[in-house]
Amino acid sequence: MVHKFAVSCRRLLQELPSSSSSSSSSCWRRRRRSGDATSAIDQYQRCCCYSTSPPGRGFASTATTTASTTDIITPEQANVVIIGGGIIGASVAYHLGKLGVQDVLLLEQNKFTSGTTWHAAGLINTFGSLSATSTFMRMYTKDLYANILPQETGMSCGYMPIGFIELACDTDRLEYYRRVAAFNRYCGVDVTEISPEEVRDRCPIIDTTDVISGFYVKDDGRANPTDVTMALIRGAKQNGVQVLENVSVSGVTTTSRWEEDHRTTIIPRVTGVTLSSGEHIQANAVANCAGMWARQLGELSGVTIPNQAAEHYYLITEPFDEVDPSWPVVEDSSRCVYIRPEGGGLMLGLFERMGASWNVHKIPETFSFGEINADWDRIGPYLLEAMKRVPITEQVGTKTLFCGPESFTPDGNPIVGESSEIRNYYVAAGMNSVGILTGGGIGKILAQWIQDGRAPNDVDVTAIDATRFQRYQNNPRYRDERVGETLGNTYKVHYPDKQPETCRGGRRSALHDRLAQANAYFRDVSGWESPAWYASDGHPVTIRQHSFGRESWFPFWANEHHACRNNVALFDMSFMPKFLVTGSDAGEMLNHLSTANVNGNIGVITYTQWLNELGYMEADVTVTKLGEQSFLVIATDTQHNQVATHLRRQLSSYLHVSMLDVTGSYCQINLQGPNARLLLQQLTSHDLSNDKFPFRRVAEIDIGFARVLCARITYVGELGYELYIPTESAVHVYERIIEAGRSFDLTHAGLRALGSLRLEKGYRDYGHDMDNTDTILEVGLGFTCDFNKASGFVGKDAVLEQKQMAEADGGLKKRLAQVLVHDEQPLLHHGEILWRNGTRISEIRSASYAHTLGGAVGLCLLESDCEPITESYIADGDWSTEIGNQMYPCTVSLRPLYDLRNEKIKA
């Protein structure tokens, strides 16, 4: 029996231009990007940036030969060399020029836009993200294309404010988009929820039978990617940037060691680039904006850039009379499709539920203005579903089905910033199919980063920082398996606890099998398998969260939370990054780096912050002094590579200090709760009494046949201990704990409970509650600052200046605070909006459910333009939280809502 989709696919194939007859398909591809804007060819001919002729038929070929560089005069040196002439490289060049950075050189191996930019759909939708950074980049980019570039360059970017509609066709998507809409409105996006009838009014060919609501932004729309790139190039040239086509970079040169002030470093620095012609250009900095080639270019220098090309499809129909070019872009994630007018017909773009990687081992260097052969067996069912949303497409002829490469990353966020491995080696790659949409913002951020030599402090870069990735994520198999899932996530509902399904099991605690026997449900924690919660006996552990409300495992989570508050709980925290810093200069280096005095008595744990010179947050760590020349640094899991990079960069100023990542060498078990001391004391001969082993002390203790580093510290607000166990002894120690714990009714607890416990207490988590845009005083951690220690600390002057200004103004105008929802039913996840006296004031940065306090709880940064944020400011406010499209009264507090005086942790 012939399936319906096979018939439809056969019809489409018959209607497509023959591969042996290139004239019609070539002609279409040369003109198709123009839409209602100026064509790419005309733009090339008009642009004053070129000394070479337009690409002509090169637009249509699957591979073009890069012109020889023998007739191109390349400079011997530059200040900054940008590699890649697509939308991102052009944007970085434009913004560097606009900042006044001198001697900037942009190199493109073929023709500008010839990689992936030329075939991009050009959608400009500011709605859709729960990331403030992404939303900022989208909004700035739209303004850049619609207003700034045309005014500065006199060139159109082909921007058409035709509007954008996101369809919600099921209750989960409706809930998600309402939460996103509330957040986007707070960020300044004018999004409104409209009825199915209003959707049809704006785009009458859409079938709205199953549509519940639409989310509409009237001045979003589409831009012409080639026009945008050419305008950026002209703007860059107007500001003194030199641009060259047909110049291929074969590598980046670096120092192996360098000297400055008679000191050395183990981190090399950029010295320039080599060209395929054999020439060398000296440079102070390089920006790798090579798109889908960025990874393999980075690998030549040992730089980790795990972006991977994947297949991306869209279908273009033949023109038909009913099309109105002013129809808005319509996106329907439930059918994996976006729809917009194109050249008198329609474009139907697809993001499948599971994508396909392309050329995992190497992207051909000669691939230019190219396309990929379509996989009909895989894409046919998606096309049929997409056509159901626009039924008229089943009767209209098909001009082409296009498949081209797009670059995706393991976590769906772009790779931006200075690399871990080489100083002044910058990256902007892995755009996850939103390069046009965010290209202006990406260029602005990286240009500022390059100019200042540090991340900008007016935008949170923690989720896009190039240093977040680890080397194993560059493995071919990892990229091959993960990239399809990343592409598929584009149109999936982003549930609060959504977990990756691919590339699992590569990093496991030594206790993994024992925890599995205890009914652990594992989640991905920076690549590690770690329990999220434990199912009670007789319940399956395969339950997953597929909604925004209470799940069937909610009682398991509550039980673990209460067990920790009232008895004792065991957490496996082996994924926590651990660094051993040693040497005669170790104490001096760490003390200068840390806000607190970490070089005091041996055996003391110190909670501290690392700042940059301007006083903004860089990392949140504990430093334990193990000996006169030995220290243990513990960081949060999401900052593993960032903290390692930060430490390595500091080593350049000290001769006698070294760092070793010992994360995998030690298993970490946390025993937390009021009965933790009683349980642990049964396992060791070491005196754990409060007098002999007070809060923040560390000692090596005996447990069974093992020696264990025991730290009295907590992240849940209870009496507790962290046990650092040599991996080979981990199972033995675990078994002893479980055996002794039976008489205490010891409970296994997962990261869900850890999150709810720490948020009840108001404990911070870098990368979630606080980031590089915050100062230490604003997030309430000024108590970690020791202003009197002889070494001082990085950022001390800036902190003192802010402290003095706050005292003069009567207080800070930004402060981190706790929020507790009065109604015990709704849940906070993150991104919800806090209101004061009828005005939006803040977003919830991280959240959970406070089982002890009896309601959803979160942390947010209060901001005021006028009055300082004090206790009276809190008391004078009528506070509520917007969750979806509902408002709920709440309590806001600058002090912890649980155990205000820290009596429990010091018991």
Side-chain angles (χ1 to χ4, degrees):
M1 180 176 180
V2 180
H3 292 286
K4 178 181 178 182
F5 84 85
V7 175
S8 298
C9 288
R10 189 178 299 116
R11 177 177 59 79
L12 288 172
L13 276 170
Q14 291 170 350
E15 293 170 352
L16 285 172
S18 170
S19 60
S20 62
S21 175
S22 62
S23 59
S24 61
S25 60
S26 265
C27 180
W28 172 79
R29 280 192 290 274
R30 284 200 302 270
R31 71 173 184 265
R32 66 175 182 77
R33 292 273 27 92
S34 64
D36 300 292
T38 308
S39 74
I41 294 295
D42 290 344
Q43 193 73 299
Y44 260 89
Q45 293 172 336
R46 285 207 323 272
C47 186
C48 63
C49 304
Y50 304 94
S51 59
T52 55
S53 60
R57 289 181 63 84
F59 257 138
S61 62
T62 58
T64 60
T65 303
T66 303
S68 170
T69 61
T70 55
D71 297 329
I72 299 173
I73 300 175
T74 56
E76 294 183 356
Q77 62 182 25
N79 181 17
V80 182
V81 174
I82 302 167
I83 305 168
I87 185 72
I88 302 302
S91 181
V92 173
Y94 164 79
H95 285 94
L96 281 171
K98 197 167 183 180
L99 287 172
V101 177
Q102 299 297 306
D103 200 13
V104 177
L105 174 65
L106 171 62
L107 302 177
E108 163 55 41
Q109 67 176 347
N110 198 279
K111 299 292 183 182
F112 293 123
T113 78
S114 63
T116 61
T117 297
W118 71 281
H119 62 70
L123 307 186
I124 306 298
N125 52 294
T126 53
F127 172 80
S129 177
L130 277 173
S131 161
T133 300
S134 179
T135 305
F136 153 74
M137 291 192 296
R138 295 173 184 217
M139 295 177 68
Y140 170 74
T141 298
K142 180 170 78 171
D143 188 39
L144 180 69
Y145 298 170
N147 303 304
I148 299 173
L149 280 174
Q151 292 171 7
E152 291 182 353
T153 67
M155 296 178 68
S156 169
C157 292
Y159 184 71
M160 301 176 65
I162 55 178
F164 172 84
I165 301 175
E166 182 72 61
L167 302 182
C169 301
D170 55 67
T171 55
D172 280 4
R173 281 180 169 81
L174 179 63
E175 173 69 14
Y176 177 65
Y177 291 138
R178 280 176 172 171
R179 287 172 177 261
V180 171
F183 176 79
N184 285 177
R185 291 186 196 104
Y186 168 71
C187 294
V189 177
D190 185 17
V191 54
T192 57
E193 184 174 344
I194 61 176
S195 68
E197 291 75 23
E198 291 173 297
V199 172
R200 285 291 299 270
D201 288 344
R202 290 171 171 81
C203 193
I205 60 169
I206 297 295
D207 177 13
T208 59
T209 303
D210 60 341
V211 173
I212 303 173
S213 285
F215 293 82
Y216 176 56
V217 182
K218 65 179 179 180
D219 58 353
D220 279 355
R222 47 185 282 211
N224 185 309
T226 301
D227 292 357
V228 171
T229 306
M230 297 305 109
L232 288 166
I233 293 294
R234 175 176 284 183
K237 283 183 64 72
Q238 288 174 343
N239 286 294
V241 176
Q242 184 178 2
V243 298
L244 294 174
E245 292 179 302
N246 299 317
V247 178
S248 178
V249 173
S250 60
V252 175
T253 59
T254 68
T255 59
S256 56
R257 296 177 67 87
W258 63 280
E259 292 190 2
E260 184 176 311
D261 297 333
H262 309 292
R263 298 184 179 187
T264 61
T265 182
I266 60 174
I267 304 182
R269 281 181 177 263
V270 163
T271 59
V273 299
T274 55
L275 307 181
S276 298
S277 63
E279 297 173 88
H280 180 261
I281 302 175
Q282 295 181 3
N284 297 318
V286 165
N288 182 342
C289 304
M292 59 182 171
W293 292 276
R295 174 191 56 78
Q296 56 203 54
L297 177 62
E299 285 180 338
L300 296 175
S301 304
V303 174
T304 301
I305 309 171
N307 68 319
Q308 172 60 49
E311 298 176 4
H312 177 50
Y313 291 84
Y314 51 71
L315 179 145
I316 306 290
T317 74
E318 293 287 355
F320 57 98
D321 293 339
E322 291 86 347
V323 172
D324 183 341
S326 67
W327 283 342
V329 176
V330 176
E331 195 168 75
D332 177 11
S333 62
S334 66
R335 295 184 186 269
C336 305
V337 64
Y338 60 84
I339 304 147
R340 73 164 177 80
E342 170 65 36
L346 291 179
M347 172 187 285
L348 275 65
L350 303 174
F351 285 100
E352 315 93 275
R353 293 181 182 88
M354 178 58 72
S357 59
W358 181 72
N359 281 343
V360 171
H361 292 285
K362 186 176 182 179
I363 305 297
E365 294 177 0
T366 57
F367 188 88
S368 178
F369 294 112
E371 61 183 272
I372 304 168
N373 291 329
D375 184 345
W376 277 100
D377 289 339
R378 191 172 66 81
I379 210 66
Y382 289 101
L383 281 172
L384 289 179
E385 281 298 305
M387 289 177 168
K388 290 177 182 177
R389 184 58 65 200
V390 196
I392 195 172
T393 58
E394 296 181 350
Q395 285 78 47
V396 176
T398 299
K399 180 173 289 187
T400 192
L401 174 70
F402 180 83
C403 179
E406 292 280 1
S407 188
F408 290 82
T409 64
D411 60 5
N413 291 322
I415 306 170
V416 183
E418 189 177 13
S419 73
S420 296
E421 298 86 355
I422 301 174
R423 299 309 310 262
N424 290 347
Y425 189 119
Y426 294 90
V427 182
M431 295 297 113
N432 302 281
S433 207
V434 292
I436 309 302
L437 173 59
T438 61
I442 292 285
K444 182 180 178 65
I445 290 171
L446 190 66
Q448 190 69 55
W449 208 321
I450 293 171
Q451 181 190 53
D452 296 341
R454 61 174 176 269
N457 294 120
D458 58 350
V459 59
D460 175 13
V461 301
T462 54
I464 65 174
D465 189 347
T467 66
R468 73 188 185 274
F469 291 115
Q470 300 189 51
R471 291 185 64 187
Y472 76 90
Q473 294 175 288
N474 231 11
N475 288 2
R477 182 171 178 179
Y478 184 96
R479 287 184 283 104
D480 188 20
E481 294 185 11
R482 179 55 67 86
V483 69
E485 183 178 10
T486 302
L487 183 149
N489 286 336
T490 304
Y491 280 167
K492 288 180 181 176
V493 179
H494 295 183
Y495 292 109
D497 202 34
K498 187 181 185 303
Q499 293 295 299
E501 298 178 5
T502 59
C503 305
R504 296 292 297 269
R507 309 177 86 184
R508 305 182 194 183
S509 161
L511 305 177
H512 180 273
D513 292 347
R514 301 304 174 99
L515 303 179
Q517 292 173 12
N519 294 330
Y521 172 74
F522 292 96
R523 61 172 297 176
D524 181 290
V525 181
S526 301
W528 288 77
E529 297 296 318
S530 190
W533 43 267
Y534 292 81
S536 300
D537 291 340
H539 291 83
V541 295
T542 56
I543 306 168
R544 293 188 175 181
Q545 176 156 340
H546 288 295
S547 79
F548 295 88
R550 284 170 167 77
E551 291 299 318
S552 57
W553 47 264
F554 191 90
F556 307 156
W557 168 23
N559 179 64
E560 295 168 24
H561 181 106
H562 290 305
C564 186
R565 284 280 181 253
N566 302 308
N567 185 23
V568 57
L570 180 151
F571 299 84
D572 177 28
M573 303 291 289
S574 300
F575 57 83
M576 295 292 286
K578 311 166 190 70
F579 305 97
L580 187 63
V581 183
T582 58
S584 58
D585 289 339
E588 179 184 352
M589 184 196 79
L590 289 171
N591 220 20
H592 180 62
L593 186 60
S594 304
T595 56
N597 181 8
V598 301
N599 196 20
N601 296 328
I602 294 174
V604 173
I605 311 160
T606 305
Y607 176 53
T608 188
Q609 312 302 309
W610 293 349
L611 314 177
N612 66 17
E613 293 81 358
L614 300 180
Y616 288 92
M617 306 283 287
E618 290 280 347
D620 174 71
V621 300
T622 61
V623 179
T624 301
K625 186 171 183 179
L626 303 175
E628 287 297 342
Q629 298 185 17
S630 180
F631 298 79
L632 183 65
V633 177
I634 308 293
T636 185
D637 67 282
T638 56
Q639 296 293 299
H640 190 143
N641 207 39
Q642 290 95 322
V643 169
T645 300
H646 201 66
L647 279 168
R648 281 197 299 269
R649 290 173 180 173
Q650 294 299 316
L651 299 181
S652 62
S653 300
Y654 298 88
L655 294 176
H656 305 292
V657 60
S658 62
M659 180 200 74
L660 181 65
D661 187 340
V662 296
T663 304
S665 300
Y666 292 90
C667 188
Q668 181 180 339
I669 295 176
N670 290 7
L671 290 175
Q672 301 286 325
N675 288 327
R677 179 189 291 123
L678 294 176
L679 171 56
L680 189 57
Q681 189 66 80
Q682 290 194 7
L683 298 168
T684 182
S685 62
H686 195 91
D687 190 347
L688 299 179
S689 63
N690 200 39
D691 291 339
K692 298 295 183 180
F693 200 59
F695 181 62
R696 290 182 49 231
R697 294 293 295 184
V698 66
E700 185 179 85
I701 68 172
D702 62 294
I703 297 181
F705 308 135
R707 301 298 296 180
V708 175
L709 185 67
C710 177
R712 186 180 165 187
I713 198 73
T714 183
Y715 191 53
V716 298
E718 300 294 339
L719 167 67
Y721 304 87
E722 296 180 355
L723 306 177
Y724 301 97
I725 312 159
T727 301
E728 67 273 16
S729 300
V731 172
H732 169 67
V733 171
Y734 172 80
E735 289 173 343
R736 296 299 299 264
I737 293 173
I738 295 303
E739 182 181 354
R742 290 191 180 98
S743 61
F744 288 88
D745 195 22
L746 172 67
T747 299
H748 285 79
L751 294 179
R752 268 292 185 175
L754 184 82
S756 57
L757 291 160
R758 71 103 177 168
L759 281 166
E760 277 190 338
K761 180 61 177 168
Y763 286 152
R764 279 63 164 145
D765 187 5
Y766 189 88
H768 294 96
D769 322 312
M770 51 190 184
D771 53 56
N772 63 288
T773 66
D774 300 317
T775 68
I776 194 169
L777 300 180
E778 293 167 352
V779 297
L781 299 178
F783 67 87
T784 69
C785 294
D786 185 343
F787 296 107
N788 298 319
K789 60 178 178 175
S791 65
F793 58 86
V794 177
K796 174 183 173 180
D797 292 342
V799 177
L800 283 173
E801 181 179 359
Q802 186 181 37
K803 185 179 178 66
Q804 292 166 359
M805 290 179 61
E807 291 173 351
D809 293 341
L812 294 162
K813 294 183 180 178
K814 291 183 181 180
R815 293 186 71 177
L816 199 68
Q818 266 184 299
V819 174
L820 177 65
V821 178
H822 295 166
D823 190 325
E824 64 180 17
Q825 289 304 311
L827 300 181
L828 295 174
H829 300 298
H830 93 276
E832 296 85 3
I833 304 304
L834 180 68
W835 292 64
R836 179 181 184 267
N837 297 337
T839 301
R840 298 181 183 93
I841 187 172
S842 180
E843 62 172 295
I844 305 296
R845 290 186 168 186
S846 64
S848 188
Y849 191 83
H851 297 280
T852 307
L853 300 176
V857 65
L859 287 172
C860 63
L861 188 75
L862 306 181
E863 298 186 54
S864 171
D865 294 331
C866 306
E867 56 186 308
I869 297 173
T870 61
E871 293 290 352
S872 61
Y873 175 89
I874 301 297
D876 292 342
D878 180 15
W879 299 94
S880 58
T881 305
E882 184 178 7
I883 304 175
N885 62 347
Q886 300 293 320
M887 302 295 290
Y888 296 91
C890 62
T891 295
V892 175
S893 177
L894 296 173
R895 298 186 293 174
L897 293 171
Y898 178 80
D899 189 24
L900 174 61
R901 297 178 178 81
N902 292 328
E903 295 171 348
K904 293 182 178 293
I905 66 176
K906 297 179 180 179

